[in-house]
Amino acid sequence: MSPLPEAELVRSSLQLYRYLLRCCRRLPQGPVQQHYRHAIRQSFKVHADEDDPERIQQIIKRAIEDADWVMNK
């Protein structure tokens, strides 16, 4: 399983949040999906006050790489 094709279109934190939740829908239903949905929400809340554009892009890049890893796992 690979991440969704629109990964290259993610430019903002809100787009990332939506993208990750869509990726999560492709995981098996049950505890695994619930775990990752919770982790996505928590990470979004933790980084909500980030205002450095360079840091935001680093977070987006890393989150997409992590989603790729999870989807291939």
Side-chain angles (χ1 to χ4, degrees), residues 38-57:
H38 178 74
I40 291 165
R41 287 185 179 118
Q42 290 302 109
S43 293
F44 187 76
K45 289 177 185 176
V46 166
H47 296 292
D49 62 342
E50 189 66 54
D51 59 356
D52 180 18
E54 186 175 318
R55 176 71 179 130
I56 291 170
Q57 291 306 312

Side-chain angles (χ1 to χ4, degrees), residues 53-66:
E54 186 175 318
R55 176 71 179 130
I56 291 170
Q57 291 306 312
Q58 289 174 346
I59 292 168
I60 289 171
K61 182 177 182 277
R62 179 57 192 241
I64 291 172
E65 289 171 358
D66 289 350

Side-chain angles (χ1 to χ4, degrees), residues 4 10 14-25 27 36-37 40 43 60 63-64 66-68:
L4 298 174
V10 174
L14 184 58
Q15 290 173 335
L16 175 65
Y17 183 71
R18 289 176 179 161
Y19 169 78
L20 293 174
L21 288 178
R22 281 195 298 279
C23 282
C24 195
R25 282 191 226 140
L27 295 172
Y36 284 108
R37 285 178 65 86
I40 291 165
S43 293
I60 289 171
I64 291 172
D66 289 350
D68 185 29

